[in-house]
């Protein structure tokens, strides 16, 4: 499988300083991410998963090292460039759905499609995650799983190159979690969106093309799954 | 939080400062007045008469209730100052042999008392001396009983009788053209043929005296000596003006702080409850640790009390500072020799209590609501708020609104009460701005109407005594005089039932062009051929209606009492008076064609010649120049009032800013999570600012018209309460007042927006994602 590289991280380091104390969240990460693949980032709480994802997504900046995205170095980008990068290239899904409560499902997606360059229709994005019927519901009228799927629809509606998901099932029960994972699987398969999925649940790793293990701010192992399991067959 | 707390403190401070400033200014002035009266032994009853032998003094002294009696001589004089062409007049008052004794003592500001044996020494009132930069050693000419005499100034003084130095019949003080002068009694008596006699009487009463009874007895005694009727302090010109002004100040000192404290209390309440509302999670944590609702409540109450106390502290310091400053200013204006600053403990306590009570009310309510939630529930993410499509969207506007605009519309509509309160808060801020500047408009308007439509003469000339109508022709033949209209003034006491009022009846000819009467709509009305026309304010004071019959007690001559019907009311912003057709007034007096003076229209080009000619006329006692009267009004009274207003405007601006800024900060804390999410999705700083500041902008724009409405109400309350004998402040609001209030609110919004924008630019995107709502 010789594919186009989307991200290339080299020597990525992140140090948080809180007064006297310095926390080394990332201690030198080298990582390549290929177009269209589904990667699961696995690691204990505090191992640096979110930090890595945030830097890849242009929400945070690295202390040292470089991240290359399609030839751009994110580590030297300013706020305007990072905003533009998030706006057109990256889709985010978080544990807490972060929907805008005052907007309907359709409008939550619309927030993104209004400003994207080549978006799909909000209805289309919602259909992909199986919410074609609940377009005009407000977040308050949707279940947790449904809200998360709206968040996924919102993330993919701009047809991003990369979808970054930080524990998207963390706040959901098993059955709902699986529906959400199925939606992500479908997006990855049908749209070919490179997807990075953070979890501390080893079971979920089975649905990935590659699994990256993180411990204490370092990659300890990168494993290729010979055989991907369908999200629907997972259990935990 | 810190900025917000400070802004709240400033709002309280402004309210408290207004309160302390107004109260202490008023209390200080009253104390100063009392202290000055006591030190100079200001008399309690006064009377002027034509001439009575000094022996009468004994009989007055022996009247029951009379304590100390002092007699003297008064004379109206014309004064000439080198290098000053305008006519100047004044009163020449006799000084007793021992001026440091007796009643109405002079308070020397410079120089010395006159030598009782000399007839060429003079003391001048301080206001007059300052207006002409006269000092002891300087000289001036006084026309004494027709003879022009050079007098040397030996002293400058203040008198309790002439604190408010205004010519009788004038509306505004004019220090340059009206002065008080003191001379040795012997010299004055000689000049006016008053040796062994007096024409002026002052006295104090003993503790149990019945004032009305004493007045009656004195009037009986003086009747055959041409008495003009004794009167108490409340009718003494200077004291009466002073009390009117103090009364007005006192009302301002009530109304302004009530509005300011009220508004700041309301805002405090609003801000505190919203602030506590954003602390839901902290409250839950505290409760999870085992703190009771009361404990949590106390925590916030302490916090709020600290904020309030800081505010009250700042307000107290500023208020005292402003009160002293303003007191000092009034002191100079009224010419008290010292200011006895007074800050009553009750004033401080009231300000503090009102502020604390308002804050506590707001806090307790919202803390109880926040702390009443079970800890587990509060720590769970708050269920997403329920939104609906707004009315406007349903009307079909939806298609034109972008998602951010829909967010704004729905935020505002979702919590109509909260949006409404924000609007009210900003509107209040706008309203008190109007309160600050409305009086300026009103004063301009008052002067405009009074002198543009009613009193349009250039000069008002008063004769030494009522004269034949033919004297008018002499005036009309004076160089520069275009034409004149005669008038007659009769000092009277108007009585209706048990109410009475001392004033003058002005007789004028109907159809005149210089003196005109205005109805409610400020249109010129014709003077009825019979009956009396009253200033509406006077009518209300007496409780009469047109058609009722009044008793007129004439205070001169044979002091007849007559009945007369009230023909109509007229509107007048300045002064209080009764008007009659000149011939009707003369008929009432059973006198022939007498006039007391004339209103003149003159050609400005001949000003100097006109004044010179008038000075030469022995019959002319004084001349009032309209233009300089208006000017002196703006220079003195207007300025004093406007400084009060100016300070209030600054305090109002502080409140306006504090409110808008707090609304913006609260909005920021309520929205920051949502806005950070949008930033994550790739919205720019500008785009999220639009959502946040758009809402603030919409609320502000909605608040301004409402603010105009509330402001208009506030101004009406003030205008209704500024109805005094001196003037009635009309409810006049110029567009500049609206514009100014709106501008300050908009600038506050803009600056708050900039500050909030700073915060938006530094939103921590990552932190927001880690926490639940
Ligand atoms: N804003 C921050 N300030 C200080 N330390 C942080 C911050 N964010 C994360 N950390 C620390 O960095 C380390 C990695 O955190 P994170 O990337 O969130 O781990 P994970 O997502 O794997 O649980 C942890 O030790 C965490 O405490
Ligand atoms: Mg994490």
């Amino acid at each position: 499988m010789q594919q186009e590289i989307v991200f290339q991280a080299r020597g990525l380091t992140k140090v948080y300083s809180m007064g006297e104390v310095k926390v080394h969240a990332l201690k030198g990460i080298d990582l390549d991410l290929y177009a269209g693949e589904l990667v699961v980032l696995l690691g204990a709480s505090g191992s640096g998963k979110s930090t890595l994802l945030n830097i890849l997504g242009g929400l945070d900046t690295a202390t040292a090292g470089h991240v290359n995205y399609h030839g751009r170095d994110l580590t030297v980008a300013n706020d305007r460039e990072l905003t533009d990068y998030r706006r057109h290239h990256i889709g985010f899904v978080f544990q807490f759905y972060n929907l805008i409560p005052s907007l309907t499902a359709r409008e939550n997606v619309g927030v993104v499609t209004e400003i994207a360059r080549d978006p799909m229709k909000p209805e289309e994005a919602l259909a992909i995650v199986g919410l074609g019927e609940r377009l005009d519901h407000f977040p308050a009228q949707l279940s947790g799983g449904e809200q998360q799927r709206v968040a996924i629809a919102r993330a993919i509606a701009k047809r991003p190159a990369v979808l970054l998901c930080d524990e998207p099932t963390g706040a959901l029960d098993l059955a709902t979690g699986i529906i959400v994972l199925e939606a992500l699987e479908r997006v990855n398969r049908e749209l070919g969106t490179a997807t990075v999925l953070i979890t501390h649940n080893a079971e979920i790793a089975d649905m990935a093309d590659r699994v990256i293990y993180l411990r204490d701010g370092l990659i300890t192992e990168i494993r290729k799954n010979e055989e991907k399991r369908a999200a629907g067959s997972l259990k935990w | 939080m810190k900025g917000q707390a400070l802004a709240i403190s400033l709002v309280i401070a402004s309210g408290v400062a207004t309160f302390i400033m107004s109260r202490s200014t008023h209390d200080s002035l009253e104390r100063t007045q009392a202290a000055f009266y006591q030190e100079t032994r200001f008399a309690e009853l006064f009377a002027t008469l034509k001439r009575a032998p000094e022996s009468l003094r004994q009989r007055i002294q022996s009247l029951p209730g009379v304590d100390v009696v002092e007699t003297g001589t008064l004379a109206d004089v014309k004064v000439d100052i080198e290098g000053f062409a305008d006519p100047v007049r004044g009163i020449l008052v006799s000084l007793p042999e021992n001026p440091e004794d007796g009643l109405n003592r002079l308070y020397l500001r410079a120089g010395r008392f006159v030598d009782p044996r000399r007839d060429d020494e003079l003391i001048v009132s301080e206001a007059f001396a300052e207006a002409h930069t006269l000092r002891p050693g300087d000289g001036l000419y006084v026309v004494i009983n027709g003879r022009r005499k050079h007098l040397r100034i030996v002293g400058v003084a203040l008198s309790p009788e002439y604190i408010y130095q205004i010519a009788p019949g004038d509306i505004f003080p004019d220090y340059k053209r009206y002065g008080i002068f003191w001379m040795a009694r012997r010299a004055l008596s000689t000049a006016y043929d008053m040796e062994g006699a007096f024409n002026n009487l002052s006295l104090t009463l003993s503790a149990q005296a019945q004032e009305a009874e004493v007045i009656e007895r004195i009037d009986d005694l003086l009747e055959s000596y041409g008495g003009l009727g004794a009167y108490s302090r409340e009718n003494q010109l200077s004291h009466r003006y002073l009390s009117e002004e103090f009364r007005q100040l006192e009302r301002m000192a009530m109304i302004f702080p009530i509005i300011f404290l009220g508004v700041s209390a309301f805002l405090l309440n609003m801000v505190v409850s919203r602030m506590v509302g954003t602390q839901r999670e902290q409250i839950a944590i505290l409760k999870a640790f085992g703190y009771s609702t009361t404990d949590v409540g106390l925590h916030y109450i302490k916090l709020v009390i600290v904020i309030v106390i800081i505010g009250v502290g700042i307000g107290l310091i500023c208020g005292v500072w402003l009160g002293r400053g303003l007191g000092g200013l009034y002191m100079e204006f009224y010419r008290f020799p010292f200011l006895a600053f007074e800050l009553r403990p009750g004033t401080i306590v009231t300000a503090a209590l009102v502020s604390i009570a308002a804050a506590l009310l707001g806090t307790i309510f919202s803390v109880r609501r926040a702390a009443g939630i079970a800890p587990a529930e509060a720590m769970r993410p708050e269920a997403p708020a329920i939104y609906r499509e707004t009315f406007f969207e349903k009307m079909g506007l939806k298609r034109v609104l972008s998602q951010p605009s829909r967010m704004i519309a729905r935020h505002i509509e979702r919590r109509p009460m909260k949006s409404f309160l924000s609007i009210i808060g900003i509107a209040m801020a706008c309203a008190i701005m109007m309160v600050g500047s409305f009086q300026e408009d009103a004063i301009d308007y008052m002067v405009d109407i009074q002198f543009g439509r009613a009193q349009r003469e250039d000069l008002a000339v008063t004769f030494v005594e009522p004269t034949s109508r033919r004297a008018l022709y002499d005036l009309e033949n004076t160089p520069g005089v275009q034409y004149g209209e005669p008038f007659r003034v009769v000092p009277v006491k108007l009585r209706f039932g048990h109410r009475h009022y001392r004033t003058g009846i002005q007789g004028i000819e109907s159809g005149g062009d210089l003196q005109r009467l205005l109805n409610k709509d400020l249109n010129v009305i014709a003077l009825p051929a019979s009956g009396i026309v009253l200033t509406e304010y006077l009518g209300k004071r007496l409780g009469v209606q047109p058609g009722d019959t009044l008793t007129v007690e004439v205070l001169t001559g044979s002091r007849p009492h007559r009945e007369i019907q009230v023909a109509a009311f007229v509107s007048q912003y300045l002064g209080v008076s009764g008007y009659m057709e000149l011939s009707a007034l003369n008929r009432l007096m059973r006198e022939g064609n007498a006039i007391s003076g004339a209103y003149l229209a003159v050609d400005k080009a001949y000003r100097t010649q006109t004044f010179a000619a008038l000075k030469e006329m022995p019959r002319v006692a004084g001349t009032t120049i309209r233009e300089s009267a208006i000017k002196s009004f703006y220079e003195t009274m207007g300025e004093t009032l406007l400084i009060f207003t100016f300070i209030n405007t600054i305090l109002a601006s502080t409140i306006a800013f504090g409110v808008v800024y707090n609304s913006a900060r609260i909005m920021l804390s309520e929205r920051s999570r949502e806005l950070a999410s949008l930033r994550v999705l790739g919205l720019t700083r500008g785009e999220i600012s639009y959502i946040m500041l758009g809402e603030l902008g919409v609320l502000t724009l909605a608040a301004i018209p409402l603010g105009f409405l509330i402001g208009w109400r506030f101004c009406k309350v003030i205008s209704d309460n500024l109805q005094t004998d001196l003037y009635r402040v009309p409810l006049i609001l110029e567009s500049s007042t609206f514009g100014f209030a709106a501008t300050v609110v908009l600038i506050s919004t803009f600056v708050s927006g900039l500050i909030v924008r700073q915060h938006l630019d530094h939103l921590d995107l990552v932190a927001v994602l880690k926490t639940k709502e």
Side-chain angles (χ1 to χ4, degrees), chain A residues 46 49-51 166-167 198, chain B residues 770:
Chain A
K49 305 180 299 286
S50 297
T51 305
D166 194 343
E167 305 203 31
I198 287 183
Chain B
K770 286 189 177 154

Side-chain angles (χ1 to χ4, degrees), chain B residues 592-613:
Chain B
N593 242 340
I595 63 176
S596 351
Y599 299 113
L600 304 179
V602 300
D603 186 342
K604 263 198 194 134
Y606 299 95
R607 199 185 154 102
T608 340
Q609 288 97 307
T610 312
F611 289 161

Side-chain angles (χ1 to χ4, degrees), chain B residues 634-652:
Chain B
Y634 275 109
E635 275 169 12
T636 53
M637 182 132 69
E639 214 165 76
T640 318
L641 194 60
L642 292 183
I643 281 188
F644 186 80
T645 306
F646 173 72
I647 293 171
N648 277 311
T649 305
I650 290 181
L651 295 173

